[in-house]
Amino acid sequence: MLRPQLKNLVAYIQEMYQCEAFLPLHEPRFNEREKELVMDCIDSTFVSSVGPYVDQFEKQIADYTGAKYAIATVNGTAALHVSLLLAGVERGSEVITQALSFIATCNAISYCGASPVFVDVDKQTLGLSAESLSDFLSQYAFVKDEQCFNKHTQNRISACVPMHTFGHPCEIDRIKAICEKWCIPLVEDAAESLGSVYQNQHTGTFGLLGAISFNGNKIITAGGGGAIITQDEQLAKKARHLTTTAKVPHKWAFNHDQIGYNYRMPNLNAALLCAQLEKLEVYIQNKRETAQKYQAWCQSNQVAFVSEPPNAASNFWLNAILLKDQAEQQNFLEYANNQGVMTRPAWTLLNTLPMFKDCLAMPQNNAQYLSEHLVNLPSSVR
């Protein structure tokens, strides 16, 4: 049996979005400006990974986030993969992350030949828990020669990757301090948090490197795309080199000095993103207004709404509610989707997937609770 107010929530969503047909969870918004820049790119014939729109986009995304450097990639997973390599993640090492995340987080770790180690998330921020991280390191880690090792496996702990879940910043300042104490490079999975700030600083700029996604369901998109952001000039140069097949610059010769990756964003996608960036602040304001409407409705109807954490301003990429138990969660998901209103739970916890089930994991009490209670609501720009 579903609470009447949850059925009313579905009707409220349909009314808010003025939608009588299928309502997706998050869809892109395009207009004539996108068509104008894409056609200009097509007419220029520079549609692949070299072109002025790539340069323009990289400058704009660096300026927007406050990073000194940005390197455009084909997607967020590629950005995270290369960021981990540049942070020193190597085969046989371990990377601390969270189980409540999209599969790309652990895929990127696996591409490096490393193994994820799962700590719990914080129930308020939905991101990696500073307490769980500290508990894990106190129990399992030691530092030698300014490097961190797992005293049970003897493997090096080569990085920590917190994720800013649904655009809500985690307590990245506390996580950074813990990582510095234990000599662990910090790489931020900021795939979902473009436009989100913590203590007036953009997510993705606290760590050594940050990875952003521009997938089709993100706040701005080119159908795909990603970016590495960093304050370190040498890391930026290495990122640009690695993502361009490690090709040594030359007018005509094809010389490569190491194994590289064909990860650079095409100029065609960058043109689309340059147009999208022009509207980013408008989109964020619109999404924050939508979140306020959801929050007000939830407060009036005794439904728990996931609000932005303290000291943070979230882009509210995806709005979320917490229901009474897993049965109510599943009943609401079935009802809403049958009514044409797309809703979804959080991802299946990564430590329960077959390829990661044998990886070391701290107790996942908060992550488990969120996986059984949380539901994402439609969050497109209205």
Side-chain angles (χ1 to χ4, degrees), residues 300-316:
S300 299
N301 290 273
Q302 292 77 52
V303 175
F305 177 76
V306 178
S307 57
E308 65 190 358
N311 304 312
S314 174
N315 67 7
F316 283 99

Side-chain angles (χ1 to χ4, degrees), residues 2-13 297-304 321 323-324 328 332 335:
L2 198 61
R3 282 185 283 165
Q5 55 262 55
L6 293 177
K7 293 184 178 181
N8 292 339
L9 174 57
V10 173
Y12 177 77
I13 294 170
W297 188 95
C298 288
Q299 287 175 344
S300 299
N301 290 273
Q302 292 77 52
V303 175
I321 56 174
L323 299 181
K324 289 182 177 180
E328 185 173 77
F332 179 72
Y335 177 80

